[in-house]
Amino acid sequence: MKRHPSGLAVGIMRGLAATVVLVVPMTTSADSEQARSQVWDIARGGQLYDNWGKVLGKELPAETHPAYPASGKQKGEATWRCKECHGWDYKGADGAYGKGSHYTGIKGLRAMVGADPKAILKIISDDNHRYTEAMIGRGEMEKLALFVSLGQIDMDQHIDRATRKSRGEPGRGAPTYQTICAVCHGFDGKTLNFKTPETPEYVGTIARENPWEFMHKARFGQPGIPMISLITLPDTTLADLLAVAQTLPEK
């Protein structure tokens, strides 16, 4: 008797066929290869913005950055991280860092969206920023410049600044969290503790307390560890991911 494939088998075969259709252009088209490479560069640049020392396996300078305001509350190596002055939301004094322990009064980067990366590269290495090629190699600086020009998003579209709550939907974000993030963070978000047993910090803690940091790290990954970048997912999907993370335990 002739046997017909099950519905599941048919679905798998159709999925494989669809995959072939999608994969072939990606491996044969020069345009696709170039676009994919630039996305990788932007993601790398986003990590450099976060903490270039961890990305490159280097120690950040121990002395406070010469351009860091004397009125600022941070000292030493922390002041050499780009995010320390310009913020996780890229708005500097006009954003989440407009007050509190990270306030510097320094403006953000939003005006640089779409700017020529070559011009941004000159700013990164100017007498004010003082990043040298001995600190960050030329190629890595170019990636950082690409992030500044092409990698930023307007986080106010996805996060309510007053409440810090995501504008996304937890129900839509649950499948993404459970099939990607939970592999490392656990189904309840408590597998990885970033601090101590006495004062734990989980992914749910960060999602509630600093949703802008969550969004940045979700898009670009965590420097120094093999965390994937989700930059190729729609920003609205990441807002949904943030929404479900904000339902996870804080302690």
Side-chain angles (χ1 to χ4, degrees):
M1 184 174 67
K2 186 176 180 179
R3 298 182 65 186
H4 296 282
S6 67
L8 176 59
V10 170
I12 292 173
M13 288 187 285
R14 288 175 178 172
L16 289 172
T19 301
V20 172
V21 172
L22 290 173
V23 169
V24 170
M26 288 296 289
T27 57
T28 60
S29 167
D31 290 340
S32 295
E33 289 290 340
Q34 183 174 351
R36 184 170 62 190
S37 177
Q38 187 177 69
V39 169
W40 187 90
D41 285 347
I42 293 170
R44 176 83 166 184
Q47 287 199 14
L48 291 164
Y49 177 85
D50 178 342
N51 191 324
W52 57 268
K54 286 188 176 181
V55 175
L56 303 177
K58 295 182 176 182
E59 295 290 334
L60 298 176
E63 69 277 7
T64 299
H65 195 296
Y68 187 79
S71 59
K73 297 182 179 180
Q74 304 299 312
K75 304 293 180 185
E77 62 180 34
T79 63
W80 287 87
R81 295 173 65 183
C82 306
K83 76 89 192 172
E84 191 54 50
C85 292
H86 302 297
W88 293 111
D89 57 4
Y90 325 126
K91 296 191 175 186
D94 294 326
Y97 280 6
K99 58 183 179 180
S101 62
H102 295 282
Y103 174 77
T104 62
I106 295 174
K107 65 181 181 181
L109 302 172
R110 297 294 294 146
M112 302 302 293
V113 172
D116 183 352
K118 292 181 180 178
I120 297 172
L121 185 62
K122 290 182 179 179
I123 295 173
I124 293 171
S125 56
D126 65 16
D127 291 339
N128 184 49
H129 290 84
R130 303 197 184 195
Y131 293 109
T132 67
E133 291 191 22
M135 294 178 180
I136 309 174
R138 174 83 179 189
E140 300 298 331
M141 282 194 193
E142 290 174 349
K143 294 177 179 65
L144 178 56
L146 273 175
F147 156 73
V148 173
S149 176
L150 303 176
Q152 299 183 59
I153 61 172
D154 183 359
M155 293 204 185
D156 285 348
Q157 292 185 9
H158 308 293
I159 301 168
D160 184 284
R161 189 165 294 279
T163 65
R164 303 190 181 193
K165 290 185 177 180
S166 171
R167 301 185 192 278
E169 293 293 334
R172 291 198 302 258
T176 304
Y177 177 84
Q178 292 167 7
T179 59
I180 299 176
C181 310
V183 172
C184 294
H185 291 282
F187 193 83
D188 62 355
K190 297 179 70 174
T191 298
L192 295 180
N193 180 3
F194 307 121
K195 289 189 176 179
T196 66
E198 294 75 24
T199 57
E201 181 182 77
Y202 303 119
V203 64
T205 316
I206 295 174
R208 285 186 175 88
E209 295 181 355
N210 196 340
W212 307 280
E213 179 181 2
F214 178 99
M215 284 288 283
H216 182 90
K217 290 184 185 292
R219 296 184 71 229
F220 303 111
Q222 171 70 18
I225 66 171
M227 175 179 169
I228 63 173
S229 162
L230 300 178
I231 190 175
T232 56
L233 295 182
D235 298 334
T236 51
T237 298
L238 299 184
D240 294 335
L241 180 61
L242 171 60
V244 72
Q246 289 181 331
T247 69
L248 297 175
E250 294 181 80
K251 299 179 180 179

